[in-house]
Amino acid sequence: MNDEDLRLAPRTRAADLLAWAAEQGRTPVAEAPLRTVLALLELGGGRMHDGWPELTSNAVEHLLYERLHLYVQPAPEEDPLAYGEAVRLLIDHQRAARRLNAKRQERLHAEAEWQGEVAAGLLRRADLVTWPRLYALLLHAHDVDLTDGADGAAVRDWLTGFRALAEEERLAAFAALVPTGWLDEIDEQGWGPARVLSVGMATDGARRLLEQGLMRRSYRNLAELTALGRPMPDELAGDFGQFEDAAAEAALVLCGEWTVPGLPRLLIEEFPELAPEPGQEEIDAYLAQLPPEE
């Protein structure tokens, strides 16, 4: 696979934005949240100009209210408000580049500030987690060593031990994230079959949404190849399944960057029973067990 031709994963201009901020004497913004913000804005399907996403009220709301909590799990030492700060830095940069007038800059700044606070709250909601986010929280809560790379033995060993627990013990570990302060209070349903089902559905949906964004980005960039008269990459000229596989691979890598590197892949390939993603058959079977509505 020629990744340079497919160009699936975003190549954000975070370094350029950080350099501009330093030249302006601005308070530094954390690089990881900035890269995440730029990537999610681009993959959200909005317009791009010279490698920068076009900022609108809808784009800011879509990012901070609808997308961020699907993918991102900050480490304990990371400030969740950094994502809103990253958006505000981008707003100011685009104003300096004359992409925004003063009125739009002021309006977007206000929206990004309060939406960033909303996003920080959403990241603490137990009813909105996905499996990679939930297990990232557990790994942090249990002080698992995450410094030995994407294929680190510490994460795999911890997951192996967690798999050996009874289902009731695993559900209790999820629930324990609330009283110990890692998550806010969950709703009255608590952790049971319905909650596990919803987390699995959210995880599957979030990953597929990301895969679609990656494929759209690749097609958009491949227009440049067509304009230059270059042939389409084999993954697009022939078996479309190869392109889908490449997008799925890129999505797993990004999900790992935004939680714990390598974790999403481990959950899918080696520990699927710890992070079930139900199909329609499993969903129908669960619904059939529910008492009829009065």
Side-chain angles (χ1 to χ4, degrees):
M1 176 175 57
N2 189 332
D3 182 65
E4 190 57 38
D5 277 351
L6 286 179
R7 294 179 63 185
L8 281 162
R11 292 158 169 78
T12 70
R13 299 186 63 181
D16 294 340
L17 189 51
L18 290 172
W20 175 83
E23 292 173 0
Q24 301 298 311
R26 297 177 59 104
T27 301
V29 172
E31 181 175 355
L34 181 60
R35 290 188 181 280
T36 301
V37 161
L38 291 171
L40 285 174
L41 282 170
E42 181 173 353
L43 295 174
R47 295 178 62 184
M48 301 287 292
H49 295 286
D50 299 326
W52 301 105
E54 181 178 282
L55 290 170
T56 64
S57 295
N58 286 340
V60 171
E61 180 179 8
H62 186 59
L63 167 71
L64 296 174
Y65 186 71
E66 299 179 20
R67 285 293 185 99
L68 197 68
H69 69 267
L70 294 177
Y71 304 108
V72 171
Q73 186 52 60
E77 68 276 7
E78 296 174 342
D79 183 1
L81 293 175
Y83 299 95
E85 293 173 358
V87 175
R88 296 199 297 276
L89 176 62
L90 180 59
I91 291 169
D92 291 346
H93 176 269
Q94 292 300 278
R95 166 61 178 159
R98 299 184 179 180
R99 294 286 188 186
L100 301 172
N101 60 35
K103 186 175 181 179
R104 286 186 64 199
Q105 177 193 24
E106 183 179 0
R107 185 180 72 249
L108 287 174
H109 237 286
E111 292 172 356
E113 184 171 4
W114 75 266
Q115 289 280 5
E117 293 174 356
V118 170
L122 295 178
L123 289 172
R124 291 192 56 83
R125 282 182 49 175
D127 61 329
L128 293 180
V129 294
T130 56
W131 287 126
R133 288 192 56 220
L134 184 60
Y135 278 98
L137 280 169
L138 284 171
L139 292 168
H140 289 306
H142 289 82
D143 295 322
V144 178
D145 181 11
L146 306 180
T147 63
D148 50 357
D151 298 320
V155 173
R156 181 180 282 103
D157 289 347
W158 188 90
L159 290 172
T160 300
F162 195 70
R163 180 168 55 187
L165 300 177
E167 182 180 5
E168 294 78 9
E169 294 177 285
R170 296 200 297 267
L171 293 177
F174 299 152
L177 290 169
V178 173
T180 54
W182 291 90
L183 288 174
D184 290 338
E185 287 290 341
I186 199 170
D187 58 33
E188 65 277 1
Q189 296 181 20
W191 280 95
R195 178 64 54 211
V196 170
L197 190 75
S198 68
V199 175
M201 292 172 62
T203 302
D204 177 72
R207 192 174 61 252
R208 291 181 186 276
L209 191 65
L210 184 59
E211 291 171 6
Q212 292 168 8
L214 288 164
M215 287 191 284
R216 284 197 305 269
R217 181 188 184 279
S218 184
Y219 277 124
R220 187 167 61 241
N221 286 293
L222 285 169
E224 300 173 12
L225 295 183
T226 303
L228 294 172
R230 294 176 57 189
M232 296 287 278
D234 291 341
E235 291 81 4
L236 295 179
D239 183 6
F240 184 74
Q242 294 182 51
F243 184 44
E244 292 182 311
D245 291 344
E249 171 72 17
L252 284 178
V253 172
L254 280 176
C255 287
E257 290 179 5
W258 298 333
T259 53
V260 173
L263 174 62
R265 186 188 309 282
L266 284 173
L267 292 176
I268 287 178
E269 296 181 355
E270 298 186 34
F271 300 90
E273 66 274 38
L274 294 184
E277 297 182 17
Q280 191 59 49
E281 184 177 347
E282 290 85 356
I283 295 172
D284 291 342
Y286 172 77
L287 294 175
Q289 297 174 4
L290 296 178
E293 295 184 3
E294 297 183 357

